[in-house]
Amino acid sequence: MAGKSDTERSDVARIRAVLARELETINEYEAFAEDSSNPEVKAFFLHLAAEEKEHVSEATHMLRMLDKGQDAHFAKPFVPGHFQAAVGHVPSEPALPVAPPAPPPPAAPPAVGRLTAEPLTNLPPQRLIYGVPAPPPSANSHPLTIGSLRRGGGSGGGSGGGR
């Protein structure tokens, strides 16, 4: 999609771009945590990685809703040895069939995905930072401010999908 402006991309393409950046950011945060000798700093980076994993889950959910062809691939089961067979290596033991995927869990209560220590609030999610009300948006801000996807004149730099 290089060369296309954000307005020329489809929603599916934008979701995939966000998904790619979130995955890259998880790797960076986990590497930072691994390199840290300070337990509190390590915990901080692991906390950030966990948030990005939630974003990956949310982006995947949106992708599955918008692209039924992609969703069909998520629903397809893989038998043991699938990847070895793809490169010509067949496991010595016959692959056992995989049970069909379990039905999705029932709708989760509103607090799912939040840390239990975070206070519940009636503010909308986009107005929260770690469960604390966020400051009001600036005049030049845009609701989509995910790392290098920042719209408008923002710097857009940084390592990806932080809040």
Side-chain angles (χ1 to χ4, degrees), residues 55-106:
H55 298 165
V56 167
S57 176
E58 292 166 345
T60 301
H61 174 78
M62 291 299 298
L63 182 60
R64 291 182 75 174
M65 282 181 15
L66 298 173
D67 185 343
K68 295 304 177 191
Q70 181 76 62
D71 184 50
H73 287 284
F74 281 107
K76 183 176 76 174
F78 293 97
V79 297
H82 169 82
F83 299 104
Q84 290 89 354
V87 294
H89 172 73
V90 180
S92 58
E93 296 180 19
L96 299 175
V98 174

Side-chain angles (χ1 to χ4, degrees), residues 35-163:
D35 292 343
S36 178
S37 59
N38 182 320
E40 195 165 350
V41 172
K42 181 183 290 272
F44 168 72
F45 283 121
L46 291 175
H47 166 78
L48 292 178
E51 284 189 354
E52 301 309 321
K53 288 177 182 181
E54 182 179 343
H55 298 165
V56 167
S57 176
E58 292 166 345
T60 301
H61 174 78
M62 291 299 298
L63 182 60
R64 291 182 75 174
M65 282 181 15
L66 298 173
D67 185 343
K68 295 304 177 191
Q70 181 76 62
D71 184 50
H73 287 284
F74 281 107
K76 183 176 76 174
F78 293 97
V79 297
H82 169 82
F83 299 104
Q84 290 89 354
V87 294
H89 172 73
V90 180
S92 58
E93 296 180 19
L96 299 175
V98 174
V112 167
R114 299 172 57 90
L115 298 174
T116 56
E118 290 185 79
L120 295 177
T121 177
N122 60 356
L123 290 172
Q126 66 271 23
R127 299 299 306 138
L128 294 176
I129 299 176
Y130 301 109
V132 176
S138 67
N140 297 329
S141 71
H142 188 279
L144 179 60
T145 56
I146 301 173
S148 60
L149 294 180
R150 185 168 289 136
R151 292 187 186 177
S155 66
S159 60
R163 286 191 189 197

